[in-house]
Amino acid sequence: MAETQVVRQNVLRDEGRLPPVPEPGAMVIFGASGDLTARKLIPALYDLAEGRRLPMEFAVVGISRTEMSHDEFRNRLRDGLEEQRAGSVSEDVWESFSKGLFYLPGDSKKPETYEELKDFLKKLDGERGTSGNRIFYLSSSPSLFPTIVERLGEAGMSREDDGGYSRLVIEKPFGRDLESARHLNGDILRYFREKQIYRIDHYLGKETVQNILALRFSNGIFEPVWNQHYVDHVQITVAEDIGVGTRGAFYEEAGALRDIVQNHVMQVLCLTAMEPPVAFDADSLREEKVKVLKAVRPISEDEVGEAAVRGQYDGGWVFGEEVRGYREEKDVAADSETETYVALKLLVDNWRWAGVPFYVRAGKRMPKKATEISIQFHKTPHTPFSGPDTEGLEPNVLVIRVQPEEGVSLKIGAKVPGSGFEVRSVNMDLLYGSAFMEEAPDAYQRLLLDLMLGDPTLFIRADEAEGAWSILQPVMEGWSKDGHAARYPAGTWGPDEAGELLGHDGREWRRP
Ligand SMILES: NC(=O)c1ccc[n+]([C@@H]2O[C@H](COP(=O)([O-])OP(=O)(O)OC[C@H]3O[C@@H](n4cnc5c(N)ncnc54)[C@H](OP(=O)(O)O)[C@@H]3O)[C@@H](O)[C@H]2O)c1
C-alpha cells in the first residue's frame, strides 16, 4: 500500500470511521500441531488478514513436540485452510500472511523451550517489528495449562515491565470441577494479573449469542415483559446431531455437563437472565453475569434425582442413517456411564425471575443440530373466543435461534382466514442473514481480534468460571454416587426422564 494511503487510513481509524487494527505483536500458540490451531485459529487469523484487520508487524509462533520446519508448518496450515475454505484461499493474502508464521519444536514442560522462545521472540521484534507485545495461547491439553503458565512465569514472560503487553489465553475446559478451577485460577494468578487473562468460551464470539444482548437491550418492547410477571418459563437447548466421532477418549473424561453445560449453556443463561449492564464493557457485563450465577439456586445432592437428568445414546437412526451407540464408539468403555445428554431445571432466585424455571438441555445424537433459547410467556388471562375456536392457540413464545437459521421468531395468535373466528398460532420470523445480507464472521475471528485489541468483554472472568462450577458441583457429586445414565436411542430428543422433568410441572420441551 502506498505511504499516503496508509496515512489516510490511520487518520480515518483515529476518527473512528474505520474499524481499529491491533498494535503489532506476536501470538505464541502452544499446541500448534493440533486440531484447534489448524481448524479454527489459523483460518480466523487468515480471515482477519484478508479483511485487513491484522497489522503488518504480526507473527504467529507455533510450539509443539512434532519436529517441523517453518515451511512444513506453513504447508500444513495451508492444507488445513484449503479444507476449511474449499479452495477460496487468496494467493496474495496467503503469501503475505504465511511469512509471519513460524514454528519452534519443543516440549512445553521443559524450561529450555521457553529460553529458546524468548530469544526467538526478541529476534522477531527486530525483524518483523512485533514491538515486544506477546499473546500466549494455550491450545494444548488442559492438563498442561498449569505447567505452561508456571514456565512462562518463571521465564519472566508474564511481566509487562518493558512496555509491551503480555496476554494469556486459556482454552476450555477451565478445570473439571470447582476445586480444579479454583486451583487453576490460583496457579495463573501467581504470574498473570486478571486483566492479562482471556478465558475463552467461543460461544461468546458468536454473533447470535451477542444478539441476545442486542435484542434485549436495544429494543424497548422486550425488557418490560422479560420477567416473572410475563414469562412462564425459559428453555435453553444445545442439540448436536453428531456423536463423539474420533473424540471418544476426550469425551469419556468430559461428558456433556463439563463439555457444554458448564460453559456454553451457563453463559447463554447468564445473557438471557442478567440485568441490563450500565455499559457494554468488560466489567459492567461480567458483573451482571456473575450476579446471575450467584442467584441460581444450586441443585442439592438430594434433589439431583428430580432436577437433573443424564442420558447416554444407544444405537439408532439419524437423518436416515443407522448409527452406533455411545458404548460402541472408538475409545469408549463398553460399560461407560458418561453422559451424552443432560437436562436440568434451574431456578434463578432474584426479583426478576422468582418462580420461573429455566430448563436447560444439551445432547449428542439428537434429531438435528440446534441451539436456541425460547422464552415462553404466560397464557392470556382470558379469551373472548370460543373453546373450539382456540384449540390451535398456544401461549406466545419468543425463540432466539443461535444456530442454524440464525434469527428470532415470535409465536403469536392469528385469525384463520374465513367467516368464523378460529384463531391459531403462527410464527413471525426474522432471519439475521436476510436482514443484513452478509455472513457472520466466525466466533474465533471476533475473539482473536478482541484479544489483540485488548478487549476482554467477551471472555470469562475468574469468578464466572468458578460460579458456573459451583452450581454444577452438587450435580456431579450426586451422579458420582449413583452410576446410571438413562438410555435414549440416537436420533431422538433424549431419555423419557427428560420429558418427565417438565411433565411434572405441566410443561413440555419445545421441538426446535
Ligand atoms: N478441537 C476443538 O474443536 C476444540 C474446541 C474447543 C476447545 N478446544 C480446546 O483446545 C485445546 C486444544 O485442542 P485440540 O483439539 O487442538 O487438541 P489436540 O489436537 O489433541 O492438540 C494438542 C496439541 O498439544 C501438543 N502437545 C501435547 N503435549 C505437548 C507437550 N508436552 N509439549 C508441547 N506440545 C504438546 C500436541 O502436539 P505434539 O504431539 O506435536 O506435541 C498438539 O499440538 C484443548 O484444551 C481443547 O479442550 C478444542
Side-chain angles (χ1 to χ4, degrees):
M1 209 186 300
E3 207 173 314
T4 47
Q5 225 180 329
V6 173
V7 172
R8 168 106 190 105
Q9 286 207 348
N10 289 342
V11 171
L12 289 174
R13 284 205 165 94
D14 289 345
E15 290 172 357
R17 285 195 277 158
L18 273 184
V21 167
E23 288 175 50
M27 182 181 293
V28 178
I29 303 180
F30 291 94
S33 63
D35 174 71
L36 189 75
T37 305
R39 228 166 33 81
K40 290 289 176 187
L41 305 184
I42 295 300
L45 289 171
Y46 169 86
D47 286 341
L48 288 172
E50 193 172 44
R52 302 197 172 191
R53 305 295 304 274
L54 276 190
M56 291 307 288
E57 309 84 357
F58 177 73
V60 170
V61 181
I63 296 190
S64 40
R65 290 164 305 180
T66 307
E67 285 294 332
M68 266 188 280
S69 66
H70 298 312
D71 276 337
E72 282 166 332
F73 181 55
R74 290 169 190 148
N75 291 339
R76 185 183 177 126
L77 297 178
R78 166 88 196 225
D79 291 345
L81 189 61
E82 291 286 354
E83 234 172 75
Q84 296 291 309
R85 296 293 177 272
S88 66
V89 179
S90 148
E91 282 309 325
D92 291 348
V93 177
W94 175 257
E95 186 171 330
S96 98
F97 174 67
S98 63
K99 281 189 186 140
L101 302 177
F102 302 92
Y103 185 75
L104 283 185
D107 187 334
S108 43
K109 291 181 187 158
K110 294 191 176 154
E112 51 267 33
T113 304
Y114 298 80
E115 291 309 317
E116 229 180 287
L117 173 65
K118 229 157 110 174
D119 292 345
F120 193 76
L121 288 171
K122 269 245 152 61
K123 199 170 100 186
L124 282 182
D125 284 342
E127 287 174 6
R128 281 192 69 86
T130 42
S131 300
N133 291 325
R134 322 275 187 240
I135 290 170
F136 300 106
Y137 198 118
L138 309 198
S139 172
S140 61
S141 146
S143 61
L144 285 173
F145 292 172
T147 311
I148 300 175
V149 170
E150 194 177 349
R151 297 276 178 274
L152 285 169
E154 284 167 353
M157 294 165 101
S158 57
R159 290 204 298 269
E160 294 184 310
D161 38 26
D162 52 0
Y165 65 68
S166 170
R167 296 180 187 147
L168 181 76
V169 190
I170 317 266
E171 259 300 338
K172 72 159 220 188
F174 195 85
R176 52 174 290 107
D177 54 21
L178 179 58
E179 198 191 343
S180 58
R182 280 186 180 146
H183 269 135
L184 183 54
N185 272 331
D187 289 344
I188 298 170
L189 288 162
R190 275 175 64 204
Y191 298 104
F192 290 86
R193 281 166 297 139
E194 182 61 42
K195 77 181 245 307
Q196 295 174 273
I197 306 166
Y198 293 72
R199 297 174 194 78
I200 282 220
D201 179 339
H202 77 272
Y203 254 51
L204 291 180
K206 286 182 184 285
E207 290 283 319
T208 33
V209 169
Q210 294 160 36
N211 251 318
I212 302 170
L213 297 175
L215 183 86
R216 290 192 56 195
F217 305 131
S218 67
N219 294 291
I221 63 167
F222 296 116
E223 216 36 38
V225 298
W226 211 264
N227 55 53
Q228 42 93 12
H229 295 297
Y230 294 90
V231 177
D232 177 76
H233 72 282
V234 177
Q235 296 186 15
I236 297 174
T237 299
V238 178
E240 296 173 281
D241 53 341
I242 53 170
V244 292
T246 53
R247 302 181 76 214
F250 157 79
Y251 208 81
E252 278 284 89
E253 289 294 311
L257 194 79
R258 290 186 169 92
D259 190 36
I260 304 285
V261 179
Q262 188 274 340
N263 33 64
H264 307 331
V265 170
M266 296 310 276
Q267 282 297 319
V268 168
L269 185 145
C270 285
L271 299 181
T272 308
M274 68 194 249
E275 295 302 314
V278 285
F280 190 64
D281 60 41
D283 279 340
S284 310
L285 193 79
R286 300 195 287 185
E287 214 52 64
E288 295 305 336
K289 286 198 286 172
V290 167
K291 283 190 206 160
V292 175
L293 294 169
K294 284 186 181 154
V296 174
R297 190 188 304 173
I299 298 171
S300 71
E301 265 188 57
D302 325 333
E303 293 163 336
V304 168
E306 293 118 64
V309 173
R310 61 174 163 162
Q312 189 189 78
Y313 62 83
D314 281 330
W317 293 80
V318 180
F319 297 127
E321 200 185 305
E322 188 163 17
V323 296
R324 62 183 154 203
Y326 177 71
R327 290 178 180 174
E328 284 92 57
E329 301 276 18
K330 188 170 171 285
D331 300 327
V332 170
D335 58 353
S336 171
E337 292 292 347
T338 302
E339 79 284 357
T340 59
Y341 176 95
V342 176
L344 304 175
K345 175 182 172 180
L346 297 171
L347 293 167
V348 182
D349 285 335
N350 61 17
W351 195 282
R352 185 188 284 262
W353 295 115
V356 178
F358 282 66
Y359 300 102
V360 305
R361 61 180 165 169
K364 285 198 177 289
R365 285 287 187 225
M366 306 270 102
K368 64 189 284 201
K369 177 183 163 115
T371 299
E372 62 164 49
I373 302 130
S374 71
I375 314 291
Q376 314 243 349
F377 292 92
H378 292 306
K379 277 194 199 137
T380 50
H382 169 75
T383 164
F385 313 116
S386 74
D389 279 347
T390 55
E391 269 166 15
L393 187 63
E394 293 164 38
N396 298 115
V397 183
L398 181 75
V399 180
I400 303 170
R401 291 188 303 274
V402 173
Q403 62 187 20
E405 294 162 23
E406 293 80 356
V408 180
S409 68
L410 179 63
K411 189 185 274 187
I412 55 168
K415 182 180 173 301
V416 179
S419 58
F421 219 100
E422 191 186 340
V423 283
R424 198 187 294 160
S425 292
V426 291
N427 280 330
M428 271 170 63
D429 224 347
L430 165 74
L431 278 174
Y432 288 130
S434 47
F436 292 102
M437 304 300 281
E438 63 183 87
E439 242 178 74
D442 179 75
Y444 274 95
Q445 195 180 321
R446 166 69 195 250
L447 293 176
L448 292 183
L449 184 62
D450 283 3
L451 163 67
M452 290 186 269
L453 291 169
D455 180 356
T457 308
L458 298 176
F459 294 81
I460 315 286
R461 210 168 60 183
D463 48 356
E464 274 180 81
E466 292 180 19
W469 280 120
S470 317
I471 294 164
L472 303 175
Q473 187 68 33
V475 178
M476 294 190 295
E477 283 167 14
W479 283 350
S480 69
K481 288 178 190 147
D482 159 27
H484 294 295
R487 327 290 315 162
Y488 63 97
T492 64
W493 285 107
D496 294 343
E497 286 81 344
E500 288 158 20
L501 184 75
L502 274 72
H504 283 146
D505 299 342
R507 301 183 175 110
E508 54 185 42
W509 290 107
R510 223 185 80 78
R511 286 285 159 93

